[in-house]
Amino acid sequence: MCVALLIYTVIAGLLLPVPKLPILNETIRVLHFHVPMWFGMILVFTGSVVYAIKYLKSNDSTQDIYSSQLANMGIAFGVLGIVTGMVWAKYTWGEAWSNDPKQNASAISLLIYLAYFVLRNSIKDEQQRNKISAVYNIFAFFLMIPLLFILPRMADSLHPGNGGNPGFNAYDLDSNLRMVFYTAVLGWTLLGYWIASINIRLSVGQQKIAD
Amino acid sequence: MEIQNFKTSATLRKTAVLMFLLISTLASHAQVEMADDFRGEGKIYVVIVIILVILTGFFTLLFKLDKKSKRLEKEVTQSRKEE
């Protein structure tokens, strides 16, 4: 399923006609590769926080494995989003890092999530580790939401949808672009879930052997 | 005669200055464009680099998975031996 969606994304994303905009030129096609990384990150982090709450309710350590592996995948998405964004910015905004509010905010939220793993690995006792990291996960998620969705909108940003612009109108999303874009979001997110679920399975197996 | 000579040299000088200006503007144009291949062809190479970055990212994840599964395999064979 996800493979078919991604094959469609790459072919249609590279070949279908796109709106001709100055400065952006062909790089508008990056919309199908850079932006889904962030959508994927947020969706995967949402899954992670759901499992963190489930863990706190049930004290079941498999829920903790779900939560931490999904957070892992979210960080991978975030790093890819930042790196691809920097390449894109270099050739459209002129600088890889222009201290754009959204760039800074996403870097901060990534650091917050990296701290999640530092915290996790620094606690020896397993029960304590799971509990504290679940609580921190919830905290990190609700810190990320204003960082990514509210604060950049209050400042002038180079990103579309900020500084008073409505979100998608600025992209000039035409129906072609939109169709590929939604497929891309679904495809990349499913790929992330796939990799995370393999990781989860391996971790659960490892735990069973250890017990 | 001399006056005419002076005149021609003046026009010569003028054309030379004009030529110099033309060349310098051309040169400055070339500098702005920088013949940067990455910005050529409608910046399509930027798209390719970004796709490659994402591919490398996912391949790194796959390598990590590979390592993890190998470790698990080892653990399984070891625990079997202990039994």
Side-chain angles (χ1 to χ4, degrees):
Chain A
M1 171 72 174
C2 121
V3 175
L5 290 176
L6 285 178
I7 288 172
Y8 171 78
T9 299
V10 172
I11 294 173
L14 287 177
L15 294 179
L16 281 186
V18 290
K20 289 184 179 160
L21 302 173
I23 301 174
L24 268 179
N25 305 33
E26 291 282 358
T27 64
I28 193 162
R29 297 182 192 279
V30 176
L31 175 74
H32 311 310
F33 303 99
H34 164 74
V35 188
M37 294 296 124
W38 297 110
F39 276 64
M41 181 188 88
I42 286 156
L43 289 171
V44 166
F45 278 158
T46 309
S48 174
V49 87
V50 166
Y51 280 107
I53 293 168
K54 271 189 180 171
Y55 172 78
L56 288 177
K57 269 188 176 167
S58 66
N59 246 356
D60 174 10
S61 61
T62 32
Q63 312 283 15
D64 173 73
I65 290 173
Y66 273 80
S67 176
S68 64
Q69 291 299 346
L70 284 172
N72 217 342
M73 191 59 223
I75 286 180
F77 267 139
V79 169
L80 285 176
I82 278 215
V83 174
T84 56
M86 279 166 72
V87 176
W88 198 4
K90 173 85 183 135
Y91 292 97
T92 48
W93 299 344
E95 268 180 296
W97 200 271
S98 42
N99 279 326
D100 176 76
K102 207 161 201 170
Q103 272 186 327
N104 284 342
S106 53
I108 292 167
S109 46
L110 263 191
L111 287 177
I112 291 170
Y113 268 98
L114 282 176
Y116 168 78
F117 282 99
V118 176
L119 183 72
R120 255 184 94 77
N121 294 331
S122 65
I123 301 171
K124 278 266 149 47
D125 181 58
E126 202 176 302
Q127 274 254 313
Q128 214 169 21
R129 183 198 71 190
N130 296 352
K131 220 166 236 174
I132 290 173
S133 60
V135 172
Y136 183 84
N137 193 331
I138 296 166
F139 160 76
F141 184 77
F142 288 105
L143 207 58
M144 178 189 74
I145 298 297
L147 270 172
L148 292 187
F149 294 107
I150 300 170
L151 291 179
R153 266 161 220 233
M154 294 168 72
D156 279 326
S157 171
L158 289 160
H159 275 95
N162 297 304
N165 313 328
F168 277 111
N169 287 355
Y171 272 123
D172 257 1
L173 273 187
D174 68 355
S175 58
N176 248 339
L177 215 52
R178 189 171 305 198
M179 198 172 61
V180 182
F181 175 68
Y182 291 140
T183 323
V185 168
L186 204 63
W188 289 115
T189 309
L190 284 177
L191 182 63
Y193 268 108
W194 189 12
I195 290 178
S197 68
I198 298 172
N199 259 320
I200 289 164
R201 251 179 244 148
L202 289 180
S203 294
V204 170
Q206 217 160 20
Q207 205 190 26
K208 272 186 188 157
I209 290 172
D211 285 345
Chain B
M1 210 23 200
E2 244 178 48
I3 292 167
Q4 212 175 4
N5 233 343
F6 181 74
K7 253 190 186 167
T8 48
S9 68
T11 46
L12 252 177
R13 218 176 299 151
K14 258 185 200 164
T15 45
V17 167
L18 258 174
M19 285 288 274
F20 174 75
L21 277 176
L22 194 76
I23 288 169
S24 63
T25 47
L26 275 180
S28 68
H29 249 278
Q31 239 174 12
V32 171
E33 295 248 332
M34 279 305 273
D36 195 328
D37 284 336
F38 248 66
R39 289 187 174 80
E41 304 275 338
K43 296 181 185 167
I44 191 72
Y45 296 114
V46 177
V47 183
I48 292 170
V49 165
I50 282 168
I51 294 173
L52 283 179
V53 166
I54 290 175
L55 270 184
T56 1
F58 277 100
F59 284 145
T60 325
L61 290 176
L62 280 179
F63 274 120
K64 274 182 160 176
L65 264 180
D66 186 62
K67 250 169 110 184
K68 198 172 172 181
S69 61
K70 267 182 192 156
R71 214 185 316 139
L72 192 66
E73 211 177 7
K74 239 186 214 167
E75 277 175 37
V76 169
T77 45
Q78 237 169 20
S79 64
R80 279 260 172 89
K81 266 182 199 164
E82 279 167 20
E83 279 171 17

